[in-house]
Amino acid sequence: MTQSRRMLVLRAVVEDYIRSQEPVGSTALTREHDLGVSSATVRNDMAALEDEGYLIQPHTSAGRVPTEKGYRYFVDRLATVVPLSEAQRRGIREFLAGSVSLKDALQRAARLLSEITGQVAVVASPSLAKATLRHVEMVPVSMSTLLAVVITDTGRVAQHGLTVSVMPSTEDIAHLSAAVNNQCHGLSFSAAADLVRVIGASVGYDSVHSVADDLASAFESMALDERASELYMSGTSNLAHSRSWTDLAPLFDALEEQVVLMKLMSNLSEETTPSGVGVSIGSESHSPQLLHASVVSGGYGRGGVVTTDGKPQQDRSGFAEEQVESRTEPVAFVGSIGPTHMDYATTMAAVRAVARYLTDFISEGGAQD
């Protein structure tokens, strides 16, 4: 008995169980897959896989089903995720291309991902701490308050009220805004805060010195804001139609406890794997509520694209998905949650594809809220 053939048997069991959600027997396995050996040999291989912890037999006379260890072996061997078809990629592109703002794009992404996978989709908006400054506008809203409208490179918009004892002139406010936008564009909010204080203390900015200090303080608070502003979720109704409803019922509690879920999915999205996504199976999440669920997550953010020859490629048109490699600096995540018997190949490919298109959306400037 060879180890390589035994693992082919394991892969076949996982694939059949994902498709049927019924215990898989040796006879059916021999009939459905060209394994090149008899049913008795396959039965012996399955018994050995059970001894090694990859399969379990729920009932004495039943077939076998994969364990977490079996799913993990299967997922780890999906190092090269089969790309989505051109029609699927075009559908994603066209669906997201209609977005009028970052918020709209993230809502659309969650809805689209849940439709592709038939599972719960979760998309986080970028945290301010990972963003850079694109533009700031300061507008008087009362005799003692300026509203600073801050736009980040990820398309997120934040507003901060700045209190002043004496309202500077419109010209002086415009003078400070122009200096900040010219000198701080593309900087992290921490670096921008330092530079704004330097600008405010320089010659010609006496009347807006306190405004500059307040704006710098606002930037510093943004630099410390690790939270995603919103979590967009779609497809929770899919759980109600799952055949493993009893096992997945605790997942609703996990969906309500968003902090735990966000931490898990964020950590997964930052893991560097050949497939470009992170996968947590059952107890690997260390959360009792996710014991019978798997989570697939990928990061999206700033990034360019290179072809397989290493040359920069800003326009992906004409390139198949397997011909390009994304170089992404994640600023947030997109992911899918479903039962441990989920279709991992499809889910991983869909998460990766949606993450790539959200990266494109942000890298190309996106649309403003």
Side-chain angles (χ1 to χ4, degrees):
M1 182 196 310
T2 64
Q3 184 70 11
S4 59
R5 188 191 69 229
R6 186 183 300 168
M7 291 308 163
L8 286 177
V9 170
L10 173 60
R11 184 186 182 101
V13 172
V14 174
E15 289 174 347
D16 284 6
Y17 185 70
I18 286 173
R19 183 174 59 252
S20 69
Q21 296 175 41
E22 298 288 348
V24 180
S26 58
T27 302
L29 214 58
T30 307
R31 184 175 62 247
E32 298 295 330
H33 299 268
D34 183 18
L35 298 171
V37 292
S38 67
S39 176
T41 301
V42 170
R43 189 158 51 250
N44 290 336
D45 285 352
M46 292 173 73
L49 288 166
E50 183 177 1
D51 290 340
E52 294 169 2
Y54 292 101
L55 300 175
I56 58 171
Q57 190 173 27
H59 308 291
T60 306
S61 59
R64 290 173 173 85
V65 302
T67 62
E68 281 186 17
K69 183 179 178 180
Y71 285 126
R72 173 49 62 190
Y73 181 90
F74 177 80
V75 167
D76 288 346
R77 296 312 180 274
L78 289 174
T80 304
V81 175
V82 177
L84 299 178
S85 69
E86 175 54 35
Q88 289 172 314
R89 295 202 302 273
R90 185 169 59 249
I92 293 174
R93 192 162 52 240
E94 292 173 353
F95 189 76
L96 295 182
S99 304
V100 297
S101 65
L102 174 64
K103 179 177 180 179
D104 185 34
L106 301 184
Q107 288 174 329
R108 284 170 175 255
R111 192 160 68 249
L112 178 64
L113 184 58
S114 70
E115 290 174 358
I116 294 174
T117 63
Q119 297 163 176
V120 178
V122 181
V123 182
S125 62
S127 69
L128 291 172
K130 293 182 179 179
T132 62
L133 177 65
R134 178 184 288 170
H135 186 80
V136 62
E137 196 74 35
M138 288 181 284
V139 183
V141 291
S142 74
M143 295 295 291
S144 60
T145 306
L146 280 169
L147 181 65
V149 181
V150 183
I151 302 173
T152 73
D153 65 320
T154 59
R156 184 171 165 185
V157 178
Q159 298 181 352
H160 287 266
L162 309 178
T163 302
V164 295
S165 54
V166 178
M167 182 64 67
S169 67
T170 302
E171 292 76 14
D172 287 346
I173 295 171
H175 184 46
L176 175 61
S177 295
V180 172
N181 285 321
N182 288 334
Q183 298 182 46
C184 300
H185 178 84
L187 295 182
S188 68
F189 284 103
S190 177
D194 292 339
L195 188 50
V196 167
R197 284 202 168 87
V198 172
I199 294 172
S202 59
V203 177
Y205 294 92
D206 293 348
S207 65
V208 289
H209 177 75
S210 63
V211 174
D213 277 347
D214 285 352
L215 182 61
S217 296
F219 283 171
E220 286 172 341
S221 70
M222 293 171 69
L224 297 173
D225 189 351
E226 292 284 354
R227 297 167 299 136
S229 62
E230 289 184 89
L231 204 60
Y232 301 97
M233 200 172 294
S234 182
T236 52
S237 60
N238 293 329
L239 292 179
H241 304 297
S242 172
R243 292 174 63 178
S244 52
W245 162 255
T246 303
D247 289 340
L248 291 180
L251 181 54
F252 277 108
D253 294 330
L255 296 177
E256 290 293 326
E257 293 291 331
Q258 293 186 359
V259 174
V260 175
L261 192 61
M262 287 180 67
K263 183 176 182 180
L264 170 63
M265 299 187 83
S266 181
N267 289 341
L268 283 175
S269 69
E270 293 174 359
E271 291 181 2
T272 302
T273 63
S275 64
V277 296
V279 181
S280 172
I281 303 171
S283 63
E284 293 175 355
S285 68
H286 304 293
S287 170
Q289 297 152 328
L290 297 173
L291 186 60
H292 300 286
S294 288
V295 178
V296 178
S297 183
Y300 72 87
R302 309 179 193 92
V305 175
V306 294
T307 58
T308 49
D309 61 6
K311 297 178 181 178
Q313 176 63 32
Q314 299 302 321
D315 180 9
R316 271 218 300 264
S317 58
F319 282 84
E321 190 169 352
E322 63 271 21
Q323 291 178 296
V324 297
E325 177 187 352
S326 291
R327 300 283 174 82
T328 303
E329 178 190 342
V331 296
F333 63 81
V334 52
S336 184
I337 308 170
T340 52
H341 59 258
M342 70 163 61
D343 184 341
Y344 289 97
T346 297
T347 301
M348 291 165 70
V351 167
R352 185 179 68 169
V354 171
R356 284 183 170 182
Y357 284 110
L358 286 177
T359 292
D360 284 351
F361 184 85
I362 288 178
S363 298
E364 292 166 6
Q368 297 304 318
D369 285 312

